[in-house]
Amino acid sequence: MAEYYWVNKNFMSEETIGNQPEVVKKRSGLSFFKLLVFIVIVVAIVVIGYFVMKQGGIGKAVAVVNGQKIMRLVYDERYAQLASIITSQGQSATTTEAQAAIKNQTLDNLVTETLLLQAADKEGIKTDEKAVDTAFTQNKSQFPDEAEFKKALTAQGYTESTFKEFLAKDNIIRQYLTAHVDLSSATATKEEVEALYKQAAANDKTVPPLEQVRAQVENQINQQKQQQLISNFIQQLRASSTIETLI
């Protein structure tokens, strides 16, 4: 799966290091997309309209995945959501280059999530409602009050209802990927840790000594390797599927 990131230049920033099981943090709405270990995917796998897609939706299709249409209505909603995220990062979502990138990533995300949900559905995987409720509660608890939580949701293009839908579909995808992708081999070597640290330290003289941040650097490398394993699996899934893009 093609990945699309708007990365903080400092790889050891709060937004890019450490174990962060919560989807949202009160200091950064961007953490909506940092659920557990599959954090990669899931900027990329945001599920709002699966059942609309499955039922045919309204209007014209933008893609067809194994005979299932992805409707323009769903695409437009997802495009607006991704554009909102990019804007919230202080970047333009209206330049020709940005619009092309958002279009391609939106379509790629929709195709990928449809493939994963189709595969999970074939295996009878259902939402773990308890896990979804826990994730929602954990996210909400990161904010001082209800108003701040809803403000963060709105900034990311969600309501409480659609955010719960996202968590539910994301839970299904996690279950499926966990069953099919072995992440145990995704471990950082000493050489990799030292090389990445040197790269960061060369660009930022305020980076703490390696021994103080070794765990964070290892986690960064582990997540990158996990991401690659997942990406490889999704590419295999795509190769065995029939995908037609219409825009």
Side-chain angles (χ1 to χ4, degrees):
M1 178 179 76
E3 307 296 345
Y4 185 65
Y5 298 102
W6 303 85
V7 184
N8 189 311
K9 292 181 180 179
N10 182 357
F11 84 96
M12 284 191 248
S13 67
E14 176 181 308
E15 289 78 13
T16 56
I17 62 175
N19 295 316
Q20 300 182 14
E22 299 85 1
V23 187
V24 252
K25 285 191 169 186
K26 58 186 176 183
R27 292 185 60 187
S28 175
L30 299 180
S31 298
F32 276 112
F33 301 97
K34 295 184 178 179
L35 272 163
L36 303 175
V37 73
F38 295 124
I39 248 350
V40 178
I41 294 186
V42 219
V43 170
I45 304 177
V46 183
V47 187
I48 297 175
Y50 175 62
F51 290 111
V52 175
M53 290 187 286
K54 195 167 185 179
Q55 295 168 1
I58 301 173
K60 296 182 178 180
V62 297
V64 182
V65 180
N66 294 326
Q68 178 180 330
K69 293 181 179 180
I70 298 175
M71 305 311 295
R72 183 81 197 200
L73 175 64
V74 177
Y75 168 86
D76 288 344
E77 290 176 346
R78 189 66 56 80
Y79 182 102
Q81 187 176 49
L82 183 54
S84 176
I85 294 169
I86 291 170
T87 300
S88 71
Q89 295 179 350
Q91 301 188 51
S92 174
T94 58
T95 65
T96 301
E97 181 181 8
Q99 289 177 338
I102 296 169
K103 172 187 174 182
N104 292 336
Q105 187 61 33
T106 299
L107 194 59
D108 184 73
N109 289 348
L110 286 167
V111 168
T112 297
E113 74 179 31
T114 301
L115 284 171
L116 291 169
L117 289 168
Q118 286 176 344
D121 185 59
K122 288 181 180 178
E123 296 185 7
I125 297 176
K126 305 298 182 182
T127 303
D128 182 340
E129 298 293 349
K130 183 177 180 180
V132 171
D133 290 342
T134 298
F136 184 84
T137 301
Q138 287 177 340
N139 281 282
K140 192 172 183 178
S141 69
Q142 299 301 308
F143 293 85
D145 53 45
E146 182 82 12
E148 287 298 314
F149 178 57
K150 289 185 176 180
K151 181 179 179 181
L153 288 174
T154 300
Q156 298 299 314
Y158 288 107
T159 63
E160 287 197 20
S161 177
T162 58
F163 184 51
K164 287 179 179 178
E165 288 177 15
F166 158 66
L167 292 176
K169 305 308 182 298
D170 180 77
N171 175 264
I172 292 174
I173 289 172
R174 289 172 189 285
Q175 291 184 63
Y176 176 76
L177 289 173
T178 299
H180 290 274
V181 182
D182 180 10
L183 300 178
S184 62
S185 63
T187 56
T189 66
K190 179 181 178 181
E191 293 74 19
E192 289 170 334
V193 170
E194 292 177 349
L196 185 56
Y197 175 81
K198 287 180 180 179
Q199 179 183 354
N203 295 325
D204 185 352
K205 301 304 181 182
T206 66
V207 172
L210 176 57
E211 292 312 309
Q212 293 183 22
V213 296
R214 182 178 293 276
Q216 290 94 326
V217 179
E218 288 178 349
N219 186 63
Q220 177 82 5
I221 295 171
N222 290 344
Q223 288 190 1
Q224 290 172 349
K225 289 187 173 184
Q226 290 163 356
Q227 175 181 330
Q228 189 59 54
L229 289 172
I230 293 168
S231 180
N232 292 343
F233 175 78
I234 292 172
Q235 288 297 337
Q236 294 175 8
L237 196 61
R238 281 175 171 261
S240 62
S241 302
T242 302
I243 302 170
E244 181 184 8
T245 56
L246 305 175
I247 60 172

